Amino acid sequence: MPHDAMKVARQQFSAAPETAGEARLFVRDTLRDWNVHRESDDIVLLVSELVTNAVIHAETTLELTLRRLPGAVEVVVADRVPERAVPKAGPLAVDVSPSTENARSGGLGLALAGAIASTWGVSYSKDDKAVWFRIEDEEPADDSGAAEGPAAAAEPAPAADRPSLAPPLPLRRGRRPSRSNPWAPLDTALSARLPLDQLLDRTVEYARTALGGDAAYIALATTDETDWEMRAGVGLTGGPWRRFRSRTEETFPSAAPEPGPVINDDLAIARAHRGRLAAAGMRSLVTAPLIVDGRITGLIGVASRRIRHFGSTAAKRLQDGADRIALPVERARLAEVELARRASLSFLAEASDMLAGTLDERMTAALAAQLTTSRLGKWCVVHTTTELGMSRLTYVTHSNENYTDVLRNLVTALPPQEQREPAPLWSPAMLAAVSLDDELSLELAESPAISMPLVGRGRVLGRLTIGKEPPEEFTREDVNVAEDLAQRVASALENARLYSNQTSMSEALQRSLLPAKEKEPRIPGVDHAVFYRPADERTVVGGDFYDLFATDGRWCFAIGDVCGTGPEAAAVTGLARHTLRALAREGFPPDHIMRRLNLAILDENTSTRFLTMLYGEMTPISGPEGGAGGMRIRLVSAGHPLPMRLRRDGDVEPLGTSQPLLGAFEDVEFFTETIEVASGEVLLAVTDGVTERRNNNDMLGDEGLLKIFSGCSGLTAQAVISRIDRDLEEFAPGGHTDDTAMLVLRFV
């Protein structure tokens, strides 16, 4: 074919970001004029990549030349930096992501040339370098598009009319083995069994490149198939491209997904103009569904800034890619769903364990908020409802501490209402109405959030509000996990309240069984002190008790221990204490009081609730010249540990005789014992919680207590209590597993 019969089109471009788009437009218009249709998509694709490489790596004016040869089209992309070599061609399966879409390391254009072009090469001269390729016609060229002549030569035609650029020389020849499969790099990625996110990231990059588009994205159906979730994207603004919800009109070029590829030539008049495609300046779109077992499980779309950029060839090519990835993507998605399900179950199980570990309402709220911000959102607010039905702000936390106070002010002024679907809780107008329209408050108000009631046993116990930072969004799985967590938090709050109520009742009942400190009598010549500590369970009323009261010139004291704990033990304690006081005020002697008390306990049918008690009455002994000479004590020890006396010289001895316990037998006789104590002596009475204190297999016992008590000479009554309590803790740290009561009388 004579050289002057060859059709040539040439144009120079600057090294600017928009050059690739301008080059694609120039090539499409030229090929349309030459009636080249079937190969136009491949040619535009390669030109786009080669021009992009030249803009990025050469950064100089470049020249694009098209030649219509017999049975082929030749393209030359030349720049004026011959000393900067063309990046080495590598495999297409490079790791790309939306964050690096404009910073590829190079070589993708040459790899595509090797996959698509019939022949390609690179040539260098002292003034320039050129990358060229030829694509043969798949059918005979139209007579109007090229002159008749022999088959195209293996070498590119000389460019005599381009003196500043040397003609390209071939570096590689051969038939294009991959032109029938432009998705070969994708097949490589599929065979590598990449994680879902990596596979989707690579797929959108390949799709954009294969169709010569400016942007691409993939949306997958949610688990319940009621919505769509953007999972990967490249070339679009408004990221991140990870798991944000998308309306149908933002995802599909038509009102609903269709079972085949769809082309939209002008998005400005389509439903999708309201979405991120329009925000990125896209004007045309082609989509292809991902179909598995007859279900549309996802969609891949490629967009362009040009109107009518995509044709039927591009649509078929995109559908081919969609068919290749549909099943692997669905399998990977299901595996991801299963992994997320297991992670959610593990999170909820851990949350349940941690929530069950506290029985304090405020601690439960704080723990719920901390758990929430670790897994479901950036901030969390917990309100609780009082017994009167009033809402109370209990805990506020934000992963960024600088926002916590702002968030607290916001939810205090505008308490959130129930909202199960993710959306902002407050509008700018609402914030302005309460004078909270500062920048940080407005930023928090834009957060997508959910607010769910905490319901326990049919009662609203509070509200759990969770928010994220834009542009993050809640997935359906997030909402489901949050609802499940809310149920667990409500249950924990209910348990905390029940525990708190039971504790309050137990403490009130326990106080009623012990004399009030302010009502303890002042006993002339006696320094006294009492001590009581229940076992670890604060919700259980203890069985130990003491009493100290005055009646008719006598001062009476008692210390006792009911078998067991809880309400039944409290009933026996209350019966014993009030019966004891009533009989003592009637003037009955200690032995008679014990007999009557024994019968009273038996009459209450509490045969399994025995009672040990030490009861005594003190009267002064007149000394020489009418002065005080000590105390005369009449006492009965009904099955109770005997009291101990500490003499002034440090000797310790037990007092009295052990008699039968109360509530066990009807025919029981008691007798009163009388002892005298002198000034300077100390009397100690304890319950078995002291003598039975254990350190592993060692028990303190009477001998251990005697040894401790013998070192208390010269101490006040309260100091004796403190010394014994300290020595008990040293003997068995934290070993108070039983109720403990002590009564100390120091005679002065």
Side-chain angles (χ1 to χ4, degrees):
M1 178 181 64
H3 180 63
D4 58 0
M6 180 186 304
K7 290 188 176 184
V8 179
R10 180 178 294 108
Q11 184 170 326
Q12 290 191 350
F13 299 91
S14 61
E18 63 272 10
T19 293
E22 295 173 355
R24 289 195 294 268
L25 181 60
F26 167 69
V27 171
R28 281 197 181 278
D29 291 343
T30 300
L31 295 177
R32 187 180 301 111
D33 292 341
W34 291 351
N35 288 330
V36 177
H37 301 293
R38 295 179 63 86
E39 294 79 17
S40 61
D41 287 342
D42 288 341
I43 295 172
V44 170
L45 169 61
L46 290 180
V47 167
S48 179
E49 285 297 324
L50 294 179
V51 168
T52 299
N53 281 349
V55 169
I56 294 175
H57 298 289
E59 300 178 344
T60 66
T61 300
L62 58 94
E63 186 176 79
L64 174 61
T65 303
L66 277 72
R67 295 186 180 90
R68 184 65 168 111
L69 305 176
V73 174
E74 180 183 88
V75 179
V76 181
V77 179
D79 63 64
R80 304 185 185 279
V81 190
E83 67 275 8
R84 187 173 297 176
V86 175
K88 181 181 179 181
L92 281 178
V94 293
D95 189 7
V96 294
S97 65
S99 62
T100 59
E101 62 187 63
N102 294 321
R104 293 194 301 260
S105 60
L108 188 56
L110 297 186
L112 281 173
I116 297 177
S118 304
T119 309
W120 67 277
V122 183
S123 66
Y124 296 88
S125 73
K126 65 178 181 178
D127 297 320
D128 53 46
K129 69 174 179 291
V131 181
W132 64 273
F133 66 86
R134 288 178 187 167
I135 291 183
E136 296 178 354
D137 298 341
E138 292 188 354
E139 58 186 24
D142 193 303
D143 290 341
S144 63
E148 294 181 1
E155 300 291 341
D161 54 346
R162 183 174 57 82
S164 62
L165 293 174
L169 298 175
L171 295 184
R172 175 184 171 209
R173 303 169 183 267
R175 305 298 298 177
R176 44 182 175 174
S178 301
R179 185 168 178 202
S180 60
N181 180 19
W183 296 102
L186 181 58
D187 293 338
T188 302
L190 292 173
S191 64
R193 297 184 179 275
L194 299 174
L196 180 59
D197 286 339
Q198 293 186 26
L199 174 60
L200 297 180
D201 285 343
R202 294 192 181 189
T203 298
V204 294
E205 180 67 25
Y206 298 152
R208 181 179 71 162
T209 301
L211 272 67
D214 296 301
Y217 64 88
I218 286 181
L220 300 181
T222 55
T223 304
D224 54 10
E225 299 186 4
T226 60
D227 207 347
W228 298 88
E229 195 173 60
M230 288 290 189
R231 291 299 302 266
V234 61
L236 294 178
T237 59
W241 287 93
R242 278 289 177 269
R243 311 204 66 160
F244 70 85
R245 294 275 166 155
S246 172
R247 298 191 303 269
T248 299
E249 58 267 26
E250 293 182 356
T251 309
F252 300 98
S254 56
E258 298 185 16
V262 176
I263 299 173
N264 194 309
D265 289 328
D266 190 354
L267 295 176
I269 59 176
R271 293 165 59 87
H273 79 280
R274 287 174 285 181
R276 299 194 180 193
L277 295 174
M282 301 300 151
R283 295 299 303 275
S284 58
L285 173 69
V286 58
T287 61
L290 279 60
I291 302 176
V292 177
D293 294 334
R295 295 183 301 107
I296 297 179
T297 60
L299 179 115
I300 181 170
V302 180
S304 172
R305 294 187 178 91
R306 292 185 61 231
I307 299 174
R308 295 182 294 277
H309 180 75
F310 303 103
S312 59
T313 302
K316 292 178 181 178
R317 178 171 294 168
L318 185 62
Q319 186 62 64
D320 180 46
D323 292 341
R324 291 173 182 271
I325 67 169
L327 185 57
V329 165
E330 180 65 4
R331 287 173 176 170
R333 188 190 69 83
L334 292 176
E336 183 184 75
V337 169
E338 176 62 19
L339 185 62
R341 186 187 69 84
R342 293 181 182 180
S344 297
L345 291 176
S346 177
F347 166 73
L348 291 171
E350 180 181 358
S352 296
D353 289 343
M354 297 182 70
L355 290 169
T358 176
L359 291 172
D360 178 84
E361 186 171 333
R362 288 191 58 83
M363 183 64 71
T364 298
L367 188 58
Q370 296 295 336
L371 286 168
T372 299
T373 52
S374 72
R375 170 70 166 74
L376 298 174
K378 288 294 184 180
W379 56 265
C380 181
V381 177
V382 180
H383 286 81
T384 55
T385 304
T386 66
E387 296 294 337
L388 298 178
M390 302 295 292
S391 180
R392 176 179 59 198
L393 180 60
T394 306
Y395 199 83
V396 178
T397 185
H398 195 291
S399 57
N400 185 342
E401 294 182 356
N402 296 326
Y403 286 78
T404 300
D405 290 339
V406 179
L407 179 61
R408 180 179 291 105
N409 294 336
L410 182 57
V411 297
T412 300
L414 296 170
Q417 302 300 312
E418 181 177 347
Q419 179 172 286
R420 294 181 180 271
E421 292 299 323
L425 291 168
W426 307 280
S427 66
M430 296 170 64
L431 268 63
V434 294
S435 301
L436 288 176
D437 51 355
D438 58 279
E439 183 178 349
L440 292 182
S441 296
L442 288 170
E443 184 178 338
L444 284 171
E446 295 174 355
S447 303
I450 51 179
S451 186
M452 294 166 292
L454 301 172
V455 181
R457 300 189 181 183
R459 294 191 306 125
V460 177
L461 304 177
R463 185 174 304 283
L464 179 69
T465 306
I466 309 168
K468 292 195 174 186
E469 289 183 344
E472 295 181 5
E473 296 188 14
F474 285 89
T475 65
R476 175 50 54 188
E477 290 76 13
D478 289 339
V479 176
N480 292 339
V481 172
E483 290 177 344
D484 211 338
L485 178 63
Q487 295 177 1
R488 287 164 165 77
V489 174
S491 178
L493 282 176
E494 178 72 11
N495 290 337
R497 289 192 176 184
L498 291 174
Y499 177 80
S500 177
N501 292 339
Q502 185 176 354
T503 299
S504 298
M505 289 188 295
S506 297
E507 290 176 347
L509 179 57
Q510 191 74 67
R511 286 193 299 269
S512 71
L513 300 177
L514 299 174
K517 285 286 185 181
E518 61 273 12
K519 293 185 178 181
E520 291 179 4
R522 296 180 61 85
I523 307 174
V526 178
D527 171 26
H528 70 273
V530 292
F531 173 88
Y532 176 77
R533 177 183 291 153
D536 291 338
E537 291 291 339
R538 293 195 302 133
T539 58
V540 178
V541 181
D544 290 8
F545 69 96
Y546 64 85
D547 202 357
L548 194 64
F549 58 94
T551 177
D552 294 335
R554 295 172 296 158
W555 289 273
C556 305
F557 64 90
I559 186 169
D561 185 0
V562 179
C563 174
T565 58
E568 293 182 354
V572 176
T573 300
L575 173 65
R577 181 166 179 263
H578 293 296
T579 301
L580 177 68
R581 285 199 171 206
L583 294 174
R585 289 191 173 112
E586 291 295 326
F588 292 109
D591 57 332
H592 182 81
I593 293 174
M594 290 295 104
R595 284 195 298 271
R596 295 279 298 273
L597 180 56
N598 182 61
L599 293 174
I601 295 174
L602 291 173
D603 288 342
E604 290 295 322
N605 194 25
T606 57
S607 58
T608 59
R609 294 293 176 179
F610 308 125
L611 170 66
T612 69
M613 177 183 290
L614 171 68
Y615 171 69
E617 299 175 349
M618 297 181 293
T619 55
I621 301 175
S622 298
E625 301 179 358
M631 284 282 184
R632 181 176 290 109
I633 301 176
R634 299 194 304 167
L635 59 82
V636 175
S637 180
H640 199 80
L642 296 177
M644 294 183 179
R645 175 167 57 183
L646 172 63
R647 296 184 180 276
R648 283 178 290 185
D649 58 6
D651 289 340
V652 177
E653 62 179 358
L655 295 178
T657 304
S658 182
Q659 301 182 48
L661 53 78
L662 303 172
F665 310 101
E666 292 186 9
D667 299 329
V668 176
E669 294 295 330
F670 296 93
F671 58 90
T672 300
E673 297 183 273
T674 302
I675 61 172
E676 294 183 356
V677 292
S679 298
E681 296 183 339
V682 182
L683 190 69
L684 170 66
V686 301
T687 59
D688 59 9
V690 175
T691 56
E692 294 181 2
R693 183 75 168 252
R694 288 184 176 274
N695 182 353
N696 296 324
N697 294 326
D698 296 331
M699 186 173 71
L700 181 68
D702 293 337
E703 293 183 0
L705 178 60
L706 186 148
K707 182 177 180 181
I708 295 173
F709 189 37
S710 64
C712 295
S713 295
L715 299 180
T716 65
Q718 186 59 54
V720 172
I721 294 282
S722 299
R723 171 70 65 84
I724 295 174
D725 185 46
R726 185 195 67 188
D727 288 354
L728 287 175
E729 186 63 24
E730 290 181 357
F731 173 74
H736 50 277
T737 58
D738 192 10
D739 300 333
T740 302
M742 290 186 282
L743 171 65
V744 175
L745 302 171
R746 185 174 72 92
F747 302 96
V748 295

